[in-house]
Amino acid sequence: MKILFKAGRIVNCDQEKVCDLLIEDKKIVAIADEIDADDALVIDARGLLVMPGFVDMHCHLRDPGYEYKETIRTGTMAAARGGFTTIACMPNTNPVVDNKVVLEYIKSKAVREGVVNVLPIGAITKGLNGEELSEMGELKENGVVALSDDGKSVMNAGLMKRALSYARMLDMLVISHCEDVNITGEGVMNSGYMATLLGLKGMPAEAEEVMISRDAILALHTGARLHIAHVSTKISTDIIRWTKKMGVNITAEVTPHHLSLTEEEVDGYNTDTKVNPPLRTREDIMALIDGLKDGTIDCIATDHAPHGIQDKNVEYARAAFGISGFETAFSVINTYLVEKKHIDYKDVVRLMSTNPAKILGIDRGYIKEGAVADIVLVDPEAAYVVDKNKFYSKGKNTPYDGKVLKGVIKMTLVGGKVVYNSEEGILC
């Protein structure tokens, strides 16, 4: 089947132009000012953005083991609605993705039920217990794109050094959840005035910053590729900036919620604001934005963390950490960053498509002739009120519920196939 986008604003990380785009046999076959294709499905893209499909290198699909929170089917449906065409899922499932059997389950189920491309991430340590390294070579041979104990830090520095050393030999990316649990303790929100005012235990920023420093030093000495997950503080950003200048092979990500919401959102004890790392301060947000602009922080990742209502409908201290992020990611970035002139749409592509694809080592994230037709069509001017009850994700845990956001995903294509459009919903 041929699909022809007419007069769309094609946006790449380094250029944008209004023109036509023709898709055939899963590939982009032509980009030109005027294209005629009588046998093609013609889509009027005037006034719309045609972007490379978003690549999310950090999400949680909960399957296997926590299907009441999310399944591969519902998670990939939510991803498609959010404009994501490739997602990398973390290994903190039950059982953990630390062996070939669980890995094959995820891969086969993603093929059968998935709406978008699913790339599994394997565990650094067996069972995420931080005691014994997983069989990294076996995991790589069977298709993992990175290693992570996300949700937990590898607290043993010697073990983390060995993990980075082996990862270096295998040319594997290590994604680090940086949190010194001896510092965070039983904290549930950012440490500071708001935590004191609300009577909640705080999670100090230094818990993140200390571990970033440690892992960056270990990466320097081992030569490993290190990626820092969900950066949330000003000092963390400064540390990453400094270590990059030192030549450390380090990349980093930030989430939409850490770029848009502060600790003040916790006022009222809305458990949908409970996330790890916690929502920080306005000063931290501005530092993170500066980090995006100067290349210190390489990409935006959702850390999509869906939960069942029973996980969140409890008192704040007992609630699970996490925000359901697929379906609001682009509109949050558009509303809080693009509309406020912090970044432009070329930056959005760089941060949400090109760079995460490059870090993961996959051939995605750019619109050009011959490329796989993973594409998202966006109306940047359309505004809507977030309604969590309309989420495809089983996780309705969003702090944006009821907020007005600007920017609507009109259509998502994976391999030249329309898998979602805003009028008909999921199409496969």
Side-chain angles (χ1 to χ4, degrees):
M1 179 180 179
K2 294 181 181 179
I3 299 176
L4 176 60
F5 288 97
K6 294 291 291 184
R9 183 176 160 196
I10 297 177
V11 185
N12 277 308
C13 62
D14 55 357
Q15 60 184 352
E16 55 184 280
K17 182 182 179 181
V18 175
C19 56
D20 295 352
L21 183 149
L22 180 63
I23 297 168
E24 184 177 5
D25 296 331
K26 301 182 180 181
K27 297 289 186 71
I28 299 168
V29 296
I31 301 172
D33 291 338
E34 288 288 342
I35 299 174
D36 293 320
D38 295 335
D39 55 343
L41 170 65
V42 178
I43 296 171
D44 184 357
R46 286 175 296 180
L48 304 179
L49 306 177
V50 182
M51 294 175 154
F54 303 141
V55 176
D56 188 5
M57 62 179 296
H58 184 159
C59 72
H60 301 268
L61 295 181
R62 307 301 193 195
D63 189 356
Y66 303 106
E67 289 86 353
Y68 77 95
K69 298 173 185 275
E70 192 78 287
T71 66
I72 289 174
R73 176 64 180 176
T74 60
T76 56
M77 288 168 62
R81 187 186 183 207
F84 293 93
T85 54
T86 299
I87 58 176
C89 56
M90 287 296 177
N92 56 339
T93 50
N94 185 21
V96 170
V97 188
D98 61 5
N99 62 79
K100 179 181 178 180
V101 175
V102 183
L103 184 56
E104 288 300 322
Y105 166 87
I106 292 172
K107 288 164 59 181
S108 62
K109 194 168 185 182
V111 170
R112 294 194 314 269
E113 301 180 11
V115 179
V116 304
N117 304 308
V118 176
L119 306 176
I121 296 171
I124 298 173
T125 67
K126 292 182 179 179
L128 303 182
N129 292 322
E131 298 173 354
E132 183 181 358
L133 294 180
S134 64
E135 299 295 336
M136 295 181 178
E138 178 183 274
L139 291 173
K140 181 178 181 179
E141 288 175 4
N142 287 278
V144 302
V145 292
L147 298 165
S148 182
D149 273 11
D150 186 60
K152 297 181 178 181
S153 282
V154 179
M155 289 299 299
N156 185 312
L159 189 64
M160 187 62 169
K161 182 180 178 181
R162 289 197 295 276
L164 289 165
S165 296
Y166 284 123
R168 170 66 162 70
M169 289 188 288
L170 294 167
D171 190 26
M172 298 186 74
L173 177 71
V174 174
I175 302 174
S176 182
H177 171 113
C178 290
E179 177 192 5
D180 189 325
V181 296
N182 298 306
I183 296 176
T184 55
E186 298 179 351
V188 296
M189 69 168 292
N190 186 48
S191 183
Y193 173 76
M194 283 301 300
T196 302
L197 182 67
L198 297 172
L200 296 172
K201 293 182 180 180
M203 302 173 73
E206 53 265 34
E208 175 181 310
E209 296 152 2
V210 164
M211 294 299 277
I212 291 177
S213 301
R214 185 203 74 171
D215 287 353
I217 291 169
L218 294 176
L220 174 65
H221 287 287
T222 59
R225 290 191 294 137
L226 175 68
H227 181 81
I228 306 299
H230 42 53
V231 179
S232 72
T233 81
K234 178 183 184 300
I235 292 177
S236 293
T237 308
D238 290 337
I239 293 168
I240 295 165
R241 183 179 292 112
W242 179 67
T243 55
K244 282 191 170 187
K245 290 178 180 178
M246 288 183 63
V248 179
N249 197 351
I250 186 171
T251 53
E253 71 188 38
V254 63
T255 72
H257 46 270
H258 287 116
L259 291 166
S260 58
L261 303 177
T262 71
E263 61 184 356
E264 294 177 3
E265 294 285 332
V266 181
D267 193 9
Y269 303 97
N270 176 7
T271 58
D272 288 341
T273 66
K274 187 178 178 182
V275 65
N276 187 9
L279 302 177
R280 304 287 190 183
T281 68
R282 179 59 53 185
E283 181 184 15
D284 291 311
I285 287 178
M286 297 314 298
L288 294 169
I289 292 172
D290 287 341
L292 288 177
K293 291 163 70 174
D294 69 13
T296 297
I297 299 175
D298 301 86
C299 63
I300 294 169
T302 67
D303 192 8
H304 173 74
H307 287 291
I309 189 170
Q310 60 268 52
D311 302 313
K312 287 288 192 177
N313 193 22
V314 293
E315 54 266 38
Y316 202 91
R318 292 179 54 211
F321 290 101
I323 289 172
S324 183
F326 279 148
E327 292 167 81
T328 55
F330 171 79
S331 52
V332 168
I333 297 303
N334 190 50
T335 302
Y336 288 87
L337 273 69
V338 178
E339 286 289 305
K340 295 182 179 180
K341 309 298 183 184
H342 294 304
I343 62 174
D344 60 24
Y345 290 119
K346 294 194 294 295
D347 293 321
V348 172
V349 170
R350 171 175 61 86
L351 296 165
M352 295 185 69
S353 301
T354 311
N355 278 1
K358 187 182 300 183
I359 294 167
L360 291 173
I362 60 174
D363 188 17
R364 294 292 190 276
Y366 201 90
I367 292 177
K368 60 184 177 181
E369 292 181 359
V372 175
D374 286 359
I375 289 174
V376 57
L377 186 66
V378 177
D379 185 344
E381 298 299 325
Y384 71 103
V385 178
V386 177
D387 183 352
K388 65 182 181 182
N389 295 312
K390 294 182 179 179
F391 278 11
Y392 284 125
S393 173
K394 285 188 174 184
K396 314 303 180 186
N397 47 303
T398 173
Y400 300 101
D401 188 48
K403 295 184 185 292
V404 177
L405 299 178
K406 191 173 181 180
V408 171
I409 305 300
K410 301 295 290 183
M411 187 175 293
T412 304
L413 287 79
V414 177
K417 179 182 180 181
V418 179
V419 297
Y420 168 81
N421 74 45
S422 58
E423 295 180 0
E424 300 177 63
I426 296 294
L427 300 177
C428 65

